[in-house]
Amino acid sequence: MIVLLGLLAGIALGLLLDPAVPLWLQPYLPIAIVAALDAVFGGVRARLEGVFDEKVFVVSFLSNAVIAALIVFLGDQLGVGSQLSTGVVVVLGIRIFSNAAAIRRRVFGA
Amino acid sequence: MSLLAELFSARAADPGYADAAARRAARGEPPGTRGRGAGVLLVVALVGVLLAVAGAEARRREPVAAQERARLVKEIRARTAESDALRRRADAARAEAERLRAAALAGTDAGHRARRALSAAQAAAAAAPARGAALVVTVDDAPHGAGDGGGRVYDQDLQVLVNDLWGAGATAIGVNGLRLTATSAIRGAGEAVLVDYRPLTRPYTVTALGDPERLSAALAGSAADRRLAALRDRYRLRYERRVRSDARLPAGTVPEPRHARPVEEGERGR
């Protein structure tokens, strides 16, 4: 419940404030979202398996976002930004899918 | 490959949670009790903000891209229309100049001679349209699947053919309706054959004005004829000749004189 409330509050906040994303931050936005989704799916899976831990959740979210942004930043500086972005998305995408598969097994038993 | 192995195994993808659970179990706390705190709320709210901002950003950016594209398309159309209008004006001015020149030269014997010399020079420079009987040579790639990848017409094939047609006495040559001038180049660029940097589409039709009988006789057995016939036999390239009694070729693009310039009013007669 608290999760849904938080999510809705965040979306409402984002839509209401509608902050203009500065240009230099725009390449990191999609990566940050994918990293956040990875943390969220990991948290949901842990919750379903009964091993959820708030500290692990918060730390994994922050570290995911920071490391993903760092990799993309480094890639931009080295001139391979788009390739590294692709790499980050692929790795996080695989994790998201495996977590989603675990959640699916838990919820639907299939 | 541990990533793939992890994907297909049902193990926890993030061992952090398992470690934390193990630590809690070691400390004797019941599992799954912590997890409804402010941190979760904060992180989830942050995710919500991220999603909302990204959605708004994507919505904001899409119409900009569409507008930009529409603007570019409009500009292309406008510029094309502009250049068409300019070309029409240039054609009209050229016709007018031609008429005035004819009128000015019609009076005297010297004028007649100058006019004949001019039209001969124009014909030689491919600056005027030409028409007459012609030998038409059609060359095309082999049909798909035939041959072993060699069944394509290359720029060299057309070069050799055009050179031998000039050698056979053609007075004007056009490839796919593009008139060849003294400075025309037939080149290959990747898959395409270009004439004066304009890409041709298959099949390649080479129209050579001149006496068809004589052209045909002179072409038979020439290097181009042997080469194309060999390609036809070996790779099933298309190569055929026919005669047209009335073919028309447009004027070629005559290079602008780069160093000549019109005489200024004050300099005249000096």
Side-chain angles (χ1 to χ4, degrees):
Chain A
M1 208 54 185
I2 194 171
V3 170
L4 266 185
L5 276 181
L7 195 64
L8 287 180
I11 290 177
L13 204 66
L15 287 179
L16 279 181
L17 293 180
D18 196 10
V21 183
L23 203 61
W24 59 268
L25 207 59
Q26 276 181 3
Y28 304 108
L29 197 60
I31 294 294
I33 285 176
V34 176
L37 278 181
D38 176 50
V40 167
F41 273 94
V44 170
R45 177 186 181 179
R47 173 84 187 81
L48 287 173
E49 289 175 351
V51 292
F52 185 79
D53 186 284
E54 182 177 1
K55 193 178 115 196
V56 175
F57 179 61
V58 173
V59 169
S60 78
F61 170 79
L62 290 180
S63 73
N64 262 3
V66 167
I67 290 174
L70 202 70
I71 289 176
V72 175
F73 170 77
L74 203 65
D76 274 342
Q77 299 305 308
L78 294 174
V80 289
S82 59
Q83 289 94 322
L84 272 185
S85 297
T86 310
V88 168
V89 168
V90 166
V91 169
L92 291 181
I94 287 177
R95 283 174 49 120
I96 288 173
F97 264 102
S98 78
N99 279 336
I103 293 169
R104 192 196 63 213
R105 277 194 291 272
R106 285 272 156 193
V107 173
F108 300 110
Chain B
M1 295 325 262
S2 70
L3 200 64
L4 285 179
E6 217 168 75
L7 176 62
F8 292 112
S9 76
R11 283 192 306 108
D14 199 339
Y17 289 110
D19 289 353
R23 271 204 308 278
R24 268 204 314 277
R27 279 203 305 273
E29 294 174 32
T33 49
R34 295 167 60 192
R36 292 293 167 114
V40 176
L41 187 64
L42 199 74
V43 166
V44 168
L46 208 55
V47 172
V49 170
L50 269 178
L51 285 176
V53 168
E57 194 67 26
R59 251 207 326 279
R60 199 163 30 216
R61 215 171 330 167
E62 191 209 6
V64 172
Q67 278 167 16
E68 197 67 13
R69 194 162 46 238
R71 198 182 61 72
L72 281 175
V73 168
K74 219 169 83 187
E75 183 162 340
I76 289 169
R77 297 229 169 98
R79 289 296 160 96
T80 311
E82 203 175 306
S83 98
D84 283 351
L86 283 174
R87 207 181 45 227
R88 271 197 300 277
R89 256 182 69 193
D91 285 347
R94 202 170 295 132
E96 173 75 5
E98 189 69 36
R99 200 179 57 74
L100 288 175
R101 188 159 53 206
L105 295 177
T108 59
D109 265 358
H112 274 299
R113 273 200 303 281
R115 199 164 159 222
R116 267 200 302 279
L118 185 63
S119 45
Q122 272 181 337
R131 60 185 293 186
L135 178 71
V136 179
V137 183
T138 306
V139 189
D140 197 358
D141 294 356
H144 261 299
D148 46 355
R152 288 200 41 231
V153 178
Y154 288 101
D155 49 342
Q156 291 106 317
D157 305 329
L158 288 180
Q159 280 168 9
V160 171
L161 175 63
V162 165
N163 279 340
D164 277 351
L165 281 170
W166 285 129
T171 54
I173 295 184
V175 182
N176 283 19
L178 290 171
R179 179 81 174 269
L180 295 185
T181 67
T183 54
S184 293
I186 299 177
R187 299 212 177 110
E191 299 264 298
V193 178
L194 313 178
V195 168
D196 279 344
Y197 300 110
R198 268 176 291 191
L200 303 180
T201 48
R202 301 191 297 119
Y204 309 103
T205 310
V206 181
T207 307
L209 293 194
D211 179 9
E213 299 296 315
R214 215 161 52 80
L215 284 177
S216 199
L219 188 64
S222 69
D225 186 47
R226 286 199 305 272
R227 176 184 181 132
L228 288 170
L231 287 173
R232 180 182 56 197
D233 295 342
R234 185 152 167 210
Y235 296 112
R236 293 179 53 199
L237 239 71
R238 186 170 150 212
Y239 166 52
E240 57 196 38
R241 287 179 287 177
R242 68 203 153 80
V243 170
R244 269 179 68 180
S245 55
D246 186 26
R248 288 159 186 270
L249 285 177
T253 41
V254 179
E256 295 290 318
R258 289 190 191 184
H259 300 291
R261 59 188 173 80
V263 179
E264 300 284 336
E265 278 299 322
E267 289 175 315
R268 190 158 293 173
R270 235 185 257 167

